[in-house]
Amino acid sequence: MRPDTSRWRAESAYGFMDEAGVDHLAWECLRRNGDYQQDYRDLRRADNLGKPLPEPMESRWGLRFRGPATSDGRRPTDLLE
């Protein structure tokens, strides 16, 4: 999972942040975290994306997401449990 950083300076790329709730802000910060990205890669390699997070990862990140991760800037609904 490597986010597209080519437009990081473009204000229009962050327009959705003006309306984002706390859950969306948390997701935007979390998905940019290198350690989280490594955990995500590990889950993907083990084909465990659809399964509950292992307890150490759940404790480390403190969030539980219902749906799959996206990196395209869409505003997912019902992200947090």
Side-chain angles (χ1 to χ4, degrees):
M1 178 174 130
R2 186 157 178 93
D4 177 13
T5 58
S6 63
R7 297 185 35 190
W8 74 271
R9 291 183 186 219
E11 188 174 326
S12 62
Y14 296 93
F16 69 96
M17 295 297 275
D18 292 337
E19 304 289 324
V22 171
D23 54 345
H24 295 108
L25 292 173
W27 169 239
E28 286 301 313
C29 294
L30 180 63
R31 74 184 188 93
R32 289 169 169 80
N33 182 293
D35 293 332
Y36 173 80
Q37 291 173 9
Q38 182 60 53
D39 278 352
Y40 181 86
R41 279 191 296 271
D42 292 345
L43 288 172
R44 198 161 111 186
R45 262 183 251 153
D47 198 27
N48 286 335
L49 290 179
K51 299 175 185 167
L53 277 178
E55 194 281 326
M57 283 186 195
E58 187 176 323
S59 293
R60 179 171 36 250
W61 301 114
L63 298 170
R64 292 179 51 192
F65 296 93
R66 292 182 185 182
T70 64
S71 61
D72 61 5
R74 288 181 296 128
R75 291 183 60 186
T77 58
D78 297 331
L79 272 182
L80 302 175
E81 285 185 342

